[in-house]
Amino acid sequence: MLPVKGRRPTSISKNRSHDGSRRVTHITHVKGINEEGAIELEDVFRFDQSGLSDQGKILGRFVYTGARPPFLLRLVREGISLPADVFGPGTSFAQVCKEMEAAKAAGGLHD
């Protein structure tokens, strides 16, 4: 994979749901450009629909996909915190950032 120069953007996808509401469905990180010149994307969070309310509104929550893009470390540096359970049961934001800092120190992650 070839690096993208400068900051790598994050995309937020928003769609109109069948209940008429507009909703963010994915938060996606641009990983880079592959050897064929295609942009490679990686979902970081996606909306997981769990059902419908009594009023017919969509119910659900955002689910962390396991992707660890560099912008997560920037959140820490800028003092932005995330809910403790955003990365799923048993995985804290601090734990994810610690693993990412170790990968960065080893040369495997660039922001």
Side-chain angles (χ1 to χ4, degrees):
M1 165 141 21
L2 302 173
V4 173
K5 295 208 185 270
R7 297 213 181 255
R8 294 182 187 168
T10 300
S11 168
I12 298 177
S13 301
K14 190 165 123 176
N15 293 323
R16 184 174 298 279
S17 301
H18 72 273
D19 67 357
S21 65
R22 289 194 179 271
R23 153 174 336 274
V24 172
T25 57
H26 294 82
I27 298 175
T28 305
H29 173 67
V30 177
K31 289 177 64 174
I33 300 174
N34 65 21
E35 288 78 19
E36 292 82 37
I39 296 172
E40 292 194 351
L41 304 174
E42 179 177 44
D43 285 342
V44 181
F45 296 97
R46 66 176 166 72
F47 184 77
D48 187 26
Q49 182 177 338
S50 60
L52 297 173
S53 72
D54 292 338
Q55 295 78 30
K57 297 290 182 184
I58 292 176
L59 301 174
R61 65 184 188 95
F62 279 95
V63 176
Y64 175 60
T65 65
R68 296 190 174 175
F71 76 78
L72 293 177
L73 293 177
R74 282 198 308 273
L75 292 178
V76 173
R77 285 194 302 264
E78 294 177 17
I80 299 169
S81 62
L82 297 175
D85 64 347
V86 73
F87 296 106
T91 305
S92 70
F93 184 49
Q95 177 185 350
V96 169
C97 290
K98 182 177 178 181
E99 292 169 7
M100 291 179 69
E101 288 287 2
K104 184 177 178 183
L109 183 67
H110 307 281
D111 56 2

